[in-house]
Structures are given as C-alpha cells and as structure tokens.
Amino acid sequence: MGSHTPRPGRRTPTKNRSKTPNQNASLDRKTPTSMIDESEYGQDNTCMFCGDVNEKFAKQGFEMHFWKSCPMLKQCSNCKQVIEVATQNEHFLTECQFKNNYKECPRCSEAVNINIAQDNDYHFKLKKCIPFEKNTNKCPLCHLNIGIGEDNWKEHLMGPNGCSKNERRNSSNKSVSETSKKNTKKK
C-alpha cells in the first residue's frame, strides 16, 4: 500500500479521531498528503506536527523529516504508513490493512494484536493493562494516560521528561518550550 502521513489539525478530546488521509485520494504516493496545502499551517520551513524549524524543509521538503525524525509521527509496524503517534490505536483498529489482527481492549482502550498470545493474556485474561481514564488520551507507546489536547501530546512525545518509549524524541534535540519560544518570536 502507499505511504501517507496524517493530515494536520487540532486533536479533539475524542480518543478515536484520526487524521490519516483517505486511502482513495489520488496523490503522488511519495508526497505526504499533509503537504497538499502547507500555506495555512505556517512557513515552508516549519513542521506542522512538531514545530521544528529547519531551512532544509524549504529546500528539500518534509518527507525525510516525517519518515525519519518527527517525534510526533511514527511508521506503522504493520503497513509501514507514517501515522501520528496519537492516532496509532485508531489506525490499527480502522485504517491499517492489517486491522483484522486487532481488537480494542475494553479496559485500556488500546488496540491489541489478537495473534500475539502474550498480549491477549495481558489485556483480556490477566487484566494487567493500565485502565483508560476519562478525559485523557492514552499513549500507545508507553501506555500512560496523558492530558487531552495537542499541547499535552507535544509535551509527552517531545518534552525532556516525556515518553521514554518514543524512539524519535531523542533525535528531536529540542523541547516543546524551545520550539514554542522560536514560534512566538517569529510572529
């Protein structure tokens, strides 16, 4: 299947809202669909997901950043699409070409691969998963409940004390507060 990145936008309190583009969109499969209309999201050198400002983006585009280093995105372990970390569970349950391998855990609301016995036991038999709390989001990487909203996701996935399971966090080399300061100064 083609590779896509999610569409930009604000996250809503709804735990299962995806920004992954429509699979039927007729676009060049090498160009992330989020690049269709960058103009409304800021400068050509600012990532709309993590806020990273880099002159290379204006010259070379965002593709490598999205695929390799944006701490707000990750590659699906199944279909290899680039997705937002925040929407991984919904992607597994509704969008991934391997969605039939997943079932939502009623206790923690995470997508569980039904073909992995250890995961099934942990969630469905032993009920050792961290229960989902109302008015929170659930990080699919570290399984912690975090606050609702884009700022909470950014702090969790990019912050200095953020998600220890986000492999891209360390490659970011900057905290949310540094990114916010840069964006504020440019306005």
Side-chain angles (χ1 to χ4, degrees):
M1 287 233 111
S3 301
H4 297 298
T5 54
R7 290 182 184 157
R10 297 202 178 269
R11 288 176 186 76
T12 62
T14 309
K15 69 178 178 180
N16 290 327
R17 182 165 184 258
S18 173
K19 283 158 227 56
T20 304
N22 181 338
Q23 296 284 341
N24 300 323
S26 59
L27 299 168
D28 172 6
R29 296 289 186 207
K30 294 180 181 178
T31 305
T33 55
S34 57
M35 300 284 291
I36 295 170
D37 186 10
E38 263 176 42
S39 60
E40 71 179 88
Y41 302 104
Q43 299 175 344
D44 291 337
N45 63 348
T46 304
C47 174
M48 65 190 78
F49 296 103
C50 69
D52 189 10
V53 178
N54 190 324
E55 291 302 320
K56 289 181 183 178
F57 298 155
K59 296 174 186 167
Q60 301 170 354
F62 290 88
E63 189 169 337
M64 288 306 294
H65 174 69
F66 290 163
W67 276 96
K68 300 286 184 186
S69 61
C70 182
M72 299 297 290
L73 304 175
K74 72 175 298 238
Q75 190 175 36
C76 172
S77 56
N78 297 301
C79 69
K80 306 305 180 201
Q81 288 185 24
V82 174
I83 58 173
E84 284 187 84
V85 172
T87 64
Q88 177 179 294
N89 286 322
E90 182 181 3
H91 172 77
F92 283 161
L93 294 168
T94 64
E95 299 168 347
C96 184
Q97 71 186 54
F98 298 97
K99 66 184 175 188
N100 293 335
N101 293 343
Y102 288 88
K103 180 179 177 183
E104 184 174 15
C105 175
R107 179 178 162 89
C108 70
S109 79
E110 290 188 43
V112 179
N113 188 327
I114 58 176
N115 297 318
I116 301 175
Q118 181 180 356
D119 287 353
N120 276 303
D121 290 347
Y122 186 80
H123 286 271
F124 301 113
K125 289 181 183 175
L126 302 175
K127 297 182 180 177
K128 289 189 174 184
C129 53
I130 300 170
F132 179 78
E133 295 176 11
K134 280 188 168 187
N135 300 318
T136 64
N137 284 310
K138 181 76 131 185
C139 178
L141 304 178
C142 68
H143 313 290
L144 294 177
N145 292 304
I146 62 169
I148 292 176
E150 188 172 352
D151 290 341
N152 285 315
W153 274 112
K154 282 185 176 181
E155 185 60 38
H156 180 69
L157 294 173
M158 296 171 48
N161 299 316
C163 183
S164 61
K165 301 288 184 177
N166 187 358
E167 296 172 2
R168 295 182 176 193
R169 182 171 66 97
N170 295 331
S171 67
S172 174
N173 291 335
K174 66 175 109 178
S175 70
V176 174
S177 58
E178 290 174 20
T179 302
S180 298
K181 286 177 190 174
K182 284 182 182 178
N183 289 340
T184 305
K185 288 178 183 177
K186 292 201 177 237
K187 288 182 180 179

